């Protein structure tokens, strides 16, 4: 059938579009915000994308409209869809009914690290020869000569094998707590009914739809209620917000994970071999294996540990899971190196990172600082756009300056549509300043950056293409 997706360039909806195409449907879509990497991925896959939300995009009427959660009443295409009684559903419901219903679902939930951890888990399963389906809210980076892995991770989603009498079909899903659609305010993950669930962390976010942390905990517990007693919950130890959630009722066995130095009693432990997290040992029930990978930071180690545990729960050995992560290249927009300037004694690196919450900003910068610790002359520049809905509401104003304080130089971007002052929020924080245009940011960095520095650009949006523009300006400086 013909499926049209409203909001197709969102990370979830774009991935869903590819699954719908692989199910044999004709897929088209509309979006007002078309930017890479999702737009490029869809176009390369032959999915037609229409700019805006005109009623004409639904003429002639498709068989089904999948409505993204950014869609609201009053949008022309939404009003036309309702008035003409065109069949519609939410993305999570379509996924649950068409793909997940008869599979062993491995869901990765949490305020931070969902995309990275989902990718790690899917990578481990495929590396071990398990043809698992997956949906990731980002585009994987693939650095391998294995054609089987290249094919599976060519896009941000993969259909995988269905469950049969002789084969347990698996599907790895990034389980977002954001709402499903304007007509379904439940969290996306309530639709997924996982058998194996990673609860990676839980902090207050999405202030546009949740009034407080307790409201998010309620949604997490809705998912916990659905996890079968023969399933598994995997979560970091000593996470108060998650423990409070489970006190509401839990009927599923739990594995708790931790860095060994912080909790030697945890079921799964990671012992750092290098302080930047690029090498660590995994210890569980007598197993002791090592990961030596391209990632860094304690947050990456924690993400890797829960992914290894989840893979072990469905039959992958600890040794093979660690080997898989040692060959893991990461995903786009998570400390992704997007440009290197090597010229006349200069060596400047520009990274793109999706961090948009104070905790994510802090952990990303901490990981970068430890990663570059062997070069005392290297300074880290952080360029940050407060773009998420929670950031736009000013919910975390008091946490902004502390979250970025580990960087040597910080530039906050104040977009014109932000109705609170970033200048007031950061106060007189050392080495932190605010600029109101990306041109000014690029000009300032090009004039003041050191010959061996690194720039980390943080935003959950396109940020006016600042990454490529900055690399070009530094090359010409």
């Amino acid at each position: 059938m013909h499926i049209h997706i409203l909001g197709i360039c969102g990370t979830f909806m774009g991935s869903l579009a590819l699954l719908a195409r692989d199910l044999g449907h004709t897929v088209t879509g509309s979006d007002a915000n078309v930017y890479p990497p999702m737009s490029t991925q869809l176009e390369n896959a032959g999915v037609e994308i229409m700019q805006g939300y005109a009623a004409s995009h639904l003429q002639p009427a498709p068989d089904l409209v999948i409505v993204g959660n950014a869609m609201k009443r009053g949008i022309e295409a939404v009003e036309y869809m309702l008035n003409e009684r065109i069949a519609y559903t939410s993305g999570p419901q379509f996924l649950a009914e068409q793909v997940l219903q008869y599979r062993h679902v491995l869901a990765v939930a949490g305020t931070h690290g969902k995309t990275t951890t989902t990718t790690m888990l899917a990578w481990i399963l495929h590396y071990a020869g398990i043809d698992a389906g997956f949906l990731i809210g980002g585009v994987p980076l693939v650095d391998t000569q294995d054609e089987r892995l290249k094919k599976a991770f060519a896009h941000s989603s993969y259909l995988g094998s269905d469950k049969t009498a002789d084969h347990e079909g698996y599907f790895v899903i990034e389980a977002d707590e954001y709402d499903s659609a304007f007509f379904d305010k439940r969290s996306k993950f309530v639709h997924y009914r996982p058998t194996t669930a990673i609860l990676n962390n839980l902090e207050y976010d999405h202030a546009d739809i949740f009034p407080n942390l307790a409201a998010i905990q309620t949604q997490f517990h809705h998912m916990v209620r659905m996890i079968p007693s023969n399933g598994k919950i995997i979560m970091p130890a000593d996470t108060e917000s998650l423990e409070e959630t489970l006190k509401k009722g839990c009927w599923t066995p739990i594995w708790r994970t931790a860095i060994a130095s912080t909790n030697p009693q945890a079921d799964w432990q990671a012992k750092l071999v290098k302080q930047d997290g690029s090498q660590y040992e995994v210890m569980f029930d007598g197993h002791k294996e090592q990961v030596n990978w391209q990632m860094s930071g304690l947050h990456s180690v924690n993400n890797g540990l829960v992914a290894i545990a989840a893979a072990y729960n469905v039959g992958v050995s600890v040794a093979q899971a660690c080997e898989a992560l040692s060959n893991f290249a990461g995903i786009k927009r998570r400390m992704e190196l997007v440009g290197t300037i090597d010229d006349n004694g200069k060596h400047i690196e520009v990274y793109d990172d999706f961090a948009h919450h104070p905790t994510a900003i802090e952990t990303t910068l901490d990981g970068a600082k430890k990663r570059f610790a062997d070069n005392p002359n290297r300074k880290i520049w952080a360029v940050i756009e407060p773009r998420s809905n929670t950031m736009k509401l000013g919910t975390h104003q008091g946490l902004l300056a502390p979250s970025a304080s580990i960087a040597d130089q910080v530039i906050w971007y104040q977009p014109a549509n932000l109705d609170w002052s970033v200048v007031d929020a950061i106060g007189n924080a050392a080495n932190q300043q605010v600029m109101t245009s990306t041109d000014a940011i690029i000009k300032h960095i090009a004039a003041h950056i050191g010959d061996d520095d690194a720039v980390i650009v943080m935003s959950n949006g396109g940020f006016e293409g600042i990454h490529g523009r900055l690399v070009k300006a530094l090359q010409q400086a």
Side-chain angles (χ1 to χ4, degrees):
M1 62 180 174
H2 175 203
I3 294 173
H4 188 86
I5 300 178
L6 296 177
I8 193 170
C9 285
T11 53
F12 172 79
M13 300 301 279
S15 299
L16 187 67
L18 298 177
L19 291 178
R21 182 204 61 175
D22 291 344
L23 285 168
H25 304 301
T26 299
V27 182
T28 57
S30 303
D31 207 299
N33 297 301
V34 177
Y35 56 82
M38 192 54 70
S39 60
T40 304
Q41 178 177 245
L42 290 170
E43 289 165 359
N44 291 342
V47 175
E48 181 185 0
I49 304 174
M50 305 173 196
Q51 184 72 35
Y53 300 113
S56 59
H57 296 173
L58 302 180
Q59 299 168 355
D63 299 295
L64 179 69
V65 177
I66 302 179
V67 182
N69 67 351
M71 298 299 99
K72 297 177 174 61
R73 290 300 304 268
I75 292 176
E76 182 180 328
V78 170
E79 297 305 312
Y80 182 82
M81 174 190 78
L82 295 173
N83 291 339
E84 296 299 314
R85 295 178 174 81
I86 301 172
Y88 64 91
T89 188
S90 72
Q93 185 170 345
F94 177 86
L95 182 65
E97 293 175 350
Q98 299 295 319
V99 179
L100 304 183
Q101 188 171 5
Y102 300 109
R103 298 207 196 186
H104 179 130
V105 175
L106 299 95
V108 180
T111 309
H112 318 294
K114 290 187 294 294
T115 303
T116 304
T117 307
T118 304
T119 309
M120 289 178 184
L121 178 52
W123 176 263
I124 292 170
L125 297 185
H126 277 268
Y127 193 94
I130 298 173
D131 189 43
F134 59 79
L135 189 152
I136 301 165
V139 180
L141 294 172
V142 180
D143 183 13
T144 178
Q145 298 304 311
D146 189 318
E147 292 300 324
R148 179 179 56 85
L149 291 172
K150 281 184 180 180
K151 181 179 179 180
F153 289 87
H155 302 296
S156 58
S157 59
Y158 176 77
L159 194 56
S161 300
D162 285 329
K163 182 175 182 178
T164 67
D166 302 317
H167 181 268
E168 180 90 41
Y170 294 103
F171 198 94
V172 184
I173 178 72
E174 180 172 336
D176 188 5
E177 70 271 27
Y178 212 79
D179 61 355
S180 298
F182 73 83
F183 50 85
D184 181 357
K185 307 311 287 183
R186 294 174 294 170
S187 291
K188 290 189 183 79
F189 58 41
V190 173
H191 292 273
Y192 300 156
R193 302 184 181 183
T195 300
T196 301
I198 292 174
L199 309 181
N200 219 8
N201 41 62
L202 179 51
E203 293 187 53
Y204 183 52
D205 199 4
H206 305 308
D208 52 323
I209 60 171
F210 294 118
N212 49 44
L213 178 62
I216 307 177
Q217 289 174 306
T218 296
Q219 292 294 321
F220 267 70
H221 194 250
H222 288 334
M223 181 176 69
V224 168
R225 289 170 183 265
M226 299 178 184
I227 305 171
S229 57
N230 63 354
K232 188 74 71 178
I233 292 173
I234 301 159
M235 55 181 274
D238 306 317
T239 306
E240 183 178 354
S241 55
L242 288 174
E243 298 292 354
E244 288 176 351
T245 302
L246 295 180
K247 285 179 182 178
K248 299 174 184 287
C250 181
W251 303 265
T252 308
I254 302 171
W255 277 334
R256 288 175 173 83
T257 65
I259 304 296
S261 59
T262 64
N263 189 329
Q265 305 305 316
D267 302 297
W268 289 79
Q269 298 174 41
K271 182 180 179 181
L272 298 181
V273 177
K274 289 190 175 180
Q275 290 306 302
D276 67 352
S278 61
Q279 290 183 27
Y280 61 95
E281 290 180 341
V282 174
M283 297 177 288
F284 170 74
D285 193 28
H287 298 279
K288 190 174 183 180
E289 302 290 343
Q290 185 163 304
V291 174
N292 182 2
W293 63 351
Q294 300 179 39
M295 310 288 284
S296 62
L298 291 182
H299 61 299
S300 296
V301 174
N302 282 315
N303 292 340
L305 188 58
V306 294
I308 290 168
Y312 182 85
N313 189 53
V314 296
V316 180
S317 71
V318 177
Q320 193 163 32
C322 289
E323 181 183 327
L325 287 190
S326 296
N327 289 278
F328 177 68
I331 63 172
K332 288 184 179 294
R333 309 208 65 193
R334 272 66 175 183
M335 276 300 287
E336 179 190 0
L337 181 62
V338 294
T340 302
I341 294 85
D342 270 310
D343 184 39
N344 296 325
K346 291 190 300 185
H347 180 82
I348 300 171
E349 296 175 349
V350 179
Y351 293 85
D352 181 14
D353 196 88
F354 198 71
H356 57 276
H357 182 284
T359 299
I361 292 169
E362 182 177 3
T363 55
T364 297
L365 291 174
D366 178 69
K369 199 74 172 178
K370 290 173 179 173
R371 179 176 180 172
F372 302 139
D374 59 344
N375 186 343
N377 296 319
R378 167 164 284 194
K379 291 183 173 58
I380 294 177
W381 292 66
V383 180
I384 310 170
E385 178 187 27
R387 181 185 176 276
S388 71
N389 289 327
T390 303
M391 282 286 204
K392 287 178 181 177
L393 290 170
T395 305
H396 296 308
Q397 289 185 50
L399 300 174
L400 298 189
S403 73
S405 62
I406 197 170
D408 298 288
Q409 296 289 334
V410 182
I411 302 175
W412 293 92
Y413 176 54
Q414 170 98 40
N417 63 353
L418 203 65
D419 58 6
W420 53 274
S421 171
V422 182
V423 173
D424 292 343
I426 67 169
N428 59 356
N431 300 324
Q432 299 196 31
Q433 59 183 304
V434 179
M435 295 187 180
T436 57
S437 81
T438 53
D439 285 339
I441 293 172
I442 293 169
K443 184 176 180 181
H444 178 83
I445 293 175
H448 295 93
I449 195 166
D451 287 347
D452 204 28
D453 292 356
V455 184
I456 304 172
V457 181
M458 302 184 189
S459 171
N460 69 339
F463 206 167
E464 299 180 10
I466 191 173
H467 317 80
R469 292 162 54 206
L470 177 59
V471 170
K472 185 176 180 180
L474 291 174
Q475 289 171 337
Q476 296 174 346

